[in-house]
Amino acid sequence: MKIGYLQRKASWEILLKVSSGYFSDQALEKVLKNYHFNTLDIAFVTELSFGCIRYRKFLDLWTDHISKIPYQKQPPKLRWLLHIGLYQLLKMDKIPFSAVLSTTVEVAKQTDLKGLSGTVNAILRNAVRKIETENFPEISNNSVERISYIESLPLWIVNELVSWVGIKDAENIAKAFNKKPTIDMRINLLKTNLENLLKLLKENKISAEAINKLNNGITLRSNPRNIKSLPGYKEGLWTIQDRSSQWVAPLLSPKEGEKILDACAAPGSKSTHLAELTNDNAEIIAIDRSEKRLKILRSNIDRLNLKCVKILKADATSLPNLYPNFLSYFDKILIDAPCSGIGTFSRNPDSRWSLNKDKIKELIKLQKKLLKNLFPLLKKDGILVYSTCTICPEENGLLIKNFINKNKKIKLDFQKQILPSFDFPGDGFYAARISYK
Ligand SMILES: C[S@@+](CC[C@H](N)C(=O)[O-])C[C@H]1O[C@@H](n2cnc3c(N)ncnc32)[C@H](O)[C@@H]1O
């Protein structure tokens, strides 16, 4: 099937779903169920819809530049369709302008925007004229505002980035938020190895390569149609896990026979990693307060055929009260805390628009409570790793520093902050290893 109006229509439907509260990946999955698309179509729909979601602010700026009605006053369905057209014109190289116009106008004609198809045509034609004559929207000279428009981020986020890392790194991080995320896999070494898995993928015409510095990570170069249909998935030969997240479980140096608590465990990428690293021969207690997410954890454990992970639904902050026998019980504790997720913005295109400072404040309260209430569950010679997929210092290094300053018997052994960067393919991540002095 040629890439035509149906792929644009599906992309537009994804934008509608996201604006009604769906996460981008849920919206994509739901919409794709209604179409019979091949791998190339899916890659196109993903790029177009996720690109429009990431670049919402930039596309609104352009909408105001080409239309008499400002974007806030456009009917939402029209606003999203204009974004579909504009993103192709401004950010996708290989599509002739004429094809963008005809297919996008066709979406209007085939849906309840029928009465506005002439308007869509006129506005997008105006956009083409302005692009061809290099008549671009004016953007302020202020560096923070420029990054906010060009990289399409809320102004408050750019201000935060600049206060954390300075303007130069903030710009690099902002650019990294708009790149296509990698698909990394962690090999289940209990069942296979790097060489055999690469061979299996190659036999199935899936292009993949080893990830430098990780002895059991590989990254896909092909665009798979559906992750779950890739060879070795059902057999539990691998788990999807970003390369930055893959170095967290090894920080605990997990060993056979140890008692390990994974306090915020679902959907289980780190619990299963811990089980694999201990030869499926440790006592791993995986806790989460979300029943729905624990179901996914259960299915991952079953698929990987791991036996040593016990699941418990609980609020981890209440564990010392719920299970007093857990005090000083664990050799290792992992708190992979709920966080603002700023390190994974490129993977979750909508999250930059739904996050706000109040949410971060609430998360910091919870993170502090998790750390304070769970540390006493550690044995005197144990190790606790606290990790997040964010780059906000108050959720990471500053939180750990305050905790240690208040507890003179605890020391920081190691910490690392990975910042998202345009040249680094993984997510932003933080981890700290702490223990008794
Ligand atoms: C960052 S995710 C964990 C990801 C997981 N460790 C992995 O690697 O797949 C944070 C998890 O914490 C859970 N959570 C949030 N607050 C919690 C609490 N008070 N007690 C237990 N789990 C909590 C969320 O439901 C979410 O699944």
Side-chain angles (χ1 to χ4, degrees):
M1 193 195 332
K2 200 168 127 246
I3 293 190
Y5 97 92
L6 274 181
Q7 290 79 352
R8 274 81 175 184
K9 180 167 168 279
S11 307
W12 173 70
E13 286 164 358
I14 292 167
L15 302 199
L16 295 182
K17 287 228 173 307
V18 168
S19 72
S20 74
Y22 279 82
F23 294 124
S24 314
D25 52 350
Q26 291 172 338
L28 178 79
E29 198 180 323
K30 222 171 162 64
V31 168
L32 287 181
K33 277 192 186 138
N34 303 327
Y35 293 87
H36 299 284
F37 286 152
N38 64 26
T39 313
L40 273 181
D41 297 329
I42 293 173
F44 178 87
V45 171
T46 309
E47 183 183 350
L48 177 54
S49 58
F50 284 18
C52 287
I53 297 164
R54 290 191 187 99
Y55 278 102
R56 183 182 293 175
K57 184 166 177 172
F58 175 76
L59 298 173
D60 280 335
L61 175 77
W62 263 91
T63 304
D64 286 355
H65 187 54
I66 55 172
S67 155
K68 288 192 190 100
I69 302 171
Y71 78 87
Q72 293 102 325
K73 296 204 173 147
Q74 303 274 5
K77 286 183 177 176
L78 177 61
R79 176 183 171 199
W80 304 135
L81 189 58
L82 292 176
H83 282 198
I84 293 285
L86 280 169
Y87 186 83
Q88 296 171 79
L89 295 174
L90 295 161
K91 296 283 177 190
M92 292 172 94
D93 293 340
K94 292 180 189 135
I95 314 171
F97 286 173
S98 57
V100 173
L101 257 62
S102 60
T103 51
T104 310
V105 170
E106 190 63 23
V107 177
K109 284 186 185 159
Q110 300 291 336
T111 60
D112 49 4
L113 284 178
K114 201 171 180 177
L116 289 172
S117 59
T119 308
V120 174
N121 190 27
I123 297 177
L124 290 181
R125 271 187 195 288
N126 193 21
V128 169
R129 263 192 303 277
K130 296 212 175 200
I131 294 168
E132 284 174 342
T133 55
E134 299 193 6
N135 176 349
F136 301 139
E138 265 180 42
I139 304 179
S140 130
N141 281 332
N142 175 289
S143 321
V144 174
E145 282 181 27
R146 285 189 78 77
I147 297 175
S148 158
Y149 277 114
I150 293 172
E151 302 308 335
S152 189
L153 284 163
L155 195 60
W156 74 268
I157 292 184
V158 185
N159 273 318
E160 292 292 87
L161 289 178
V162 172
S163 75
W164 300 337
V165 296
I167 190 82
K168 200 163 165 265
D169 285 348
E171 187 165 14
N172 186 7
I173 292 173
K175 279 189 198 312
F177 289 158
N178 291 327
K179 68 185 182 187
K180 189 176 158 200
T182 52
I183 305 175
D184 297 342
M185 291 170 163
R186 187 190 80 232
I187 303 165
N188 181 0
L189 292 180
L190 300 181
K191 292 198 171 199
T192 185
N193 59 32
L194 178 70
E195 196 188 337
N196 287 343
L197 187 55
L198 283 175
K199 190 165 159 245
L200 175 70
L201 292 171
K202 197 172 173 194
E203 281 164 6
N204 286 276
K205 303 199 167 41
I206 314 275
S207 169
E209 63 189 12
I211 299 172
N212 283 344
K213 294 190 193 157
L214 284 176
N215 53 11
N216 58 346
I218 60 177
T219 189
L220 289 191
R221 293 208 268 148
S222 317
N223 279 313
R225 189 193 143 77
N226 174 359
I227 296 288
K228 293 182 182 170
S229 64
L230 286 174
Y233 177 80
K234 286 194 192 80
E235 297 76 17
L237 302 190
W238 50 265
T239 299
I240 288 290
Q241 187 179 24
D242 181 77
R243 65 194 68 196
S244 299
S245 158
Q246 288 190 36
W247 59 267
V248 173
L251 280 181
L252 284 160
S253 311
K255 304 212 170 40
E256 288 193 36
E258 287 185 334
K259 299 179 172 71
I260 305 176
L261 173 67
D262 186 355
C264 299
S269 33
K270 300 187 189 71
S271 310
T272 53
H273 197 186
L274 288 165
E276 288 163 19
L277 291 170
T278 54
N279 218 7
D280 199 17
N281 190 16
E283 181 186 334
I284 299 177
I285 302 190
I287 293 190
D288 206 282
R289 69 175 175 192
S290 157
E291 185 72 54
K292 200 171 149 203
R293 288 171 67 87
L294 280 176
K295 270 197 188 143
I296 310 174
L297 170 68
R298 160 64 60 210
S299 73
N300 279 327
I301 291 170
D302 291 347
R303 181 178 64 81
L304 295 160
N305 194 24
L306 296 165
K307 307 290 179 217
C308 77
V309 183
K310 289 185 198 126
I311 297 177
L312 203 58
K313 179 181 179 299
D315 175 348
T317 60
S318 310
L319 284 187
N321 293 332
L322 293 173
Y323 301 95
N325 54 317
F326 277 171
L327 285 167
S328 305
Y329 181 80
F330 292 100
D331 298 287
K332 308 282 163 70
I333 296 179
L334 173 61
I335 305 176
D336 189 31
C339 71
S340 56
I342 298 175
T344 57
F345 268 3
S346 78
R347 209 168 280 292
N348 303 306
D350 54 279
S351 48
R352 67 187 69 184
W353 308 118
S354 53
L355 187 64
N356 59 51
K357 282 191 181 184
D358 286 342
K359 279 191 190 167
I360 299 184
K361 272 191 201 145
E362 284 308 305
L363 285 162
I364 294 172
K365 273 193 216 155
L366 176 58
Q367 292 156 350
K368 281 184 182 161
K369 204 167 165 195
L370 284 165
L371 202 52
K372 180 167 172 257
N373 293 6
L374 294 175
F375 197 86
L377 308 191
L378 192 66
K379 279 184 185 169
K380 286 287 173 254
D381 57 352
I383 294 173
L384 184 145
V385 167
Y386 170 90
S387 58
T388 70
C389 59
T390 190
I391 57 171
C392 166
E394 285 97 336
E395 298 179 72
N396 295 341
L398 288 179
L399 188 118
I400 293 294
K401 194 173 164 195
N402 288 338
F403 181 66
I404 287 177
N405 286 345
K406 279 190 199 143
N407 297 276
K408 299 289 173 228
K409 290 183 187 150
I410 299 173
K411 65 177 182 355
L412 173 67
D413 299 320
F414 170 85
Q415 68 176 333
K416 183 167 168 174
Q417 172 75 74
I418 300 181
L419 296 175
S421 155
F422 199 70
D423 311 316
F424 171 67
D427 292 337
F429 232 90
Y430 172 82
R433 186 170 61 210
I434 57 181
S435 59
Y436 285 103
K437 276 182 182 162

